[in-house]
Amino acid sequence: MLCPSRVFPLLLIIVFFIMIGVLLKPNVDLAPGWKDLSSHANLADYKVKTHKGYVSMEELNENVFQKFGYEIIRPTYPVPTLKMTHEPTCDNVFSEWKRIFKLPQPDIPVDTIPADRLEEFTLYNYTALGSFYKNDKNSKEGERPRNWDKLSELIKMPRQQLGGLAYGKDGVSMFDAMQAHRLDNMSGVVIGSMQPWVEVSALRSGVSKVLTVEYNNLTIQEEFKNRMSAILPIDFVTNWHQYAGKFDFAASFSSIEHSGLGRYGDPMDPIGDIREMLKIKCVLKPGGLLFIGFPLGTDAIQFNAHRIYGSIRLAMMMYGFEWIDTFSGDSEQPNDLTSERLHAAPLFGLVQNTLVLRKI
């Protein structure tokens, strides 16, 4: 019979090993929120939703991420955390973008993905493919810049009216994100902007200067030229050293998801959106903020209109950033973008929230 003096230490040892077992036990269910699990976990035990159904992270690691130069380092939900096996230098990022930009382009945007590039565009068939054609290069019905001469009116608009100018409730999420993460006396860059509601949201958050990178020439209202300016993408890329590591924040809403699909006359590029994220990373200061809004749902492309970002492509887009907050426009407060919320809409359905990321 064990004496009491020996029982207590034995019980402590048993409890210790039980706790270790609980902590290391894989959770194969889709966990709510951003769940950080052991980096030594078996990726075969963790699954995410795709248009094919639930697929293990091990399968995605081998069949998608590694083929694009990434590797899962933590099986986090709703998006696995990746590292880049050979991250390109900023010089390579911008020079490669410039090379692709100068390739010959068709007079009218194409309506189908070239067969020899289909696997790259669809992440080796882990991204659903649908059709939704747009010609915003030279069609009379295509989008054109507007309201750049009405900045003095926009800056007085109420939250919902300003944020809702282009994207209804979804656009309000950008305004809310910038109010929650104030930008007083900061300078930043906006990527893609048909009308300046993102820029005005930044001004309302206290920004001192904002530069807009846009394919169209913009005519900024005279009274705001001391705080706002614009540049064409090719000029921004050509002079990228001037902007490297200089911006406190960057912002983009419903723009990057089009990059590389040809809709706006841009070059066909299966990772055009990822290149944009790498460019942004290069021009942000360490710890700089990125306010990014694009379609969220189950991974898909509706060609040539846009991409929809789910657990797979989001992981690559967010490389090099820490995910801080998500705003939906329903409330001025952030929400928890769980796996359930990310995949709530049916296939090809989407919401456009604003994610707040911090450069690592």
Side-chain angles (χ1 to χ4, degrees), residues 79-100:
V79 178
T81 302
L82 309 182
K83 71 175 181 180
M84 240 181 170
T85 49
H86 299 288
E87 182 176 354
T89 65
C90 289
D91 191 53
N92 287 338
V93 168
F94 284 97
S95 61
E96 185 64 6
W97 186 96
K98 193 172 182 179
R99 181 191 68 80
I100 294 171

Side-chain angles (χ1 to χ4, degrees), residues 9-228:
L10 183 60
L11 287 174
L12 285 178
I13 293 172
I14 293 171
V15 170
F16 173 78
F17 280 104
I18 290 173
M19 290 178 67
I20 291 295
V22 170
L23 289 172
L24 296 182
K25 181 182 178 182
N27 181 354
V28 297
D29 296 325
L30 280 178
W34 184 266
K35 193 167 186 179
D36 193 358
L37 304 169
S38 169
S39 59
H40 302 292
N42 185 351
L43 295 180
D45 292 332
Y46 301 90
K47 297 183 179 182
V48 295
K49 187 176 181 179
T50 74
H51 79 101
K52 295 182 173 185
Y54 289 95
V55 174
S56 77
M57 290 193 190
E58 180 180 59
E59 181 179 334
L60 293 174
N61 204 38
E62 294 176 358
N63 294 347
V64 180
F65 295 133
Q66 291 178 356
K67 291 181 178 180
F68 283 92
Y70 296 87
E71 188 174 353
I72 296 176
I73 56 174
R74 285 194 304 277
T76 45
Y77 285 124
V79 178
T81 302
L82 309 182
K83 71 175 181 180
M84 240 181 170
T85 49
H86 299 288
E87 182 176 354
T89 65
C90 289
D91 191 53
N92 287 338
V93 168
F94 284 97
S95 61
E96 185 64 6
W97 186 96
K98 193 172 182 179
R99 181 191 68 80
I100 294 171
F101 178 82
K102 291 184 175 181
L103 294 175
Q105 303 303 317
D107 293 333
I108 298 174
V110 299
D111 59 2
T112 55
I113 298 173
D116 61 341
R117 311 204 75 181
L118 186 60
E119 286 190 329
E120 291 178 274
F121 274 97
T122 63
L123 302 183
Y124 296 91
N125 200 33
Y126 288 91
T127 289
L129 179 61
S131 179
F132 184 6
Y133 182 76
K134 292 277 190 178
N135 176 5
D136 285 312
K137 178 182 179 181
N138 44 30
S139 169
K140 292 181 179 179
E141 289 76 33
E143 282 195 274
R144 296 292 179 270
R146 54 197 183 278
N147 289 330
W148 289 88
D149 59 341
K150 299 177 181 177
L151 290 164
S152 56
E153 298 176 24
L154 269 58
I155 205 161
K156 298 175 185 177
M157 285 183 175
R159 159 184 172 265
Q160 290 184 318
Q161 186 179 358
L162 174 64
L165 270 179
Y167 299 97
K169 179 188 68 178
D170 288 341
V172 178
S173 67
M174 177 66 73
F175 182 91
D176 292 341
M178 288 183 169
Q179 288 298 312
H181 297 271
R182 293 286 303 182
L183 302 172
D184 296 293
N185 301 313
M186 295 185 183
S187 65
V189 59
V190 173
I191 309 298
S193 189
M194 283 295 179
Q195 52 180 332
W197 63 277
V198 172
E199 290 83 351
V200 171
S201 295
L203 294 179
R204 296 269 290 272
S205 182
V207 161
S208 60
K209 289 187 180 296
V210 59
L211 172 68
T212 298
V213 182
E214 170 53 43
Y215 282 99
N216 295 278
N217 290 305
L218 306 176
T219 304
I220 297 170
Q221 187 177 332
E222 189 67 32
E223 299 93 302
F224 289 83
K225 287 185 177 179
N226 62 329
R227 298 175 69 189
M228 297 174 64

Side-chain angles (χ1 to χ4, degrees), residues 245 281-289 320-322 357-360:
K281 185 170 174 282
C282 286
V283 300
L284 278 176
K285 294 178 180 178
L289 295 179
F321 290 92
E322 174 192 4
L357 311 178
R358 179 185 289 120
K359 178 181 173 179
I360 298 171

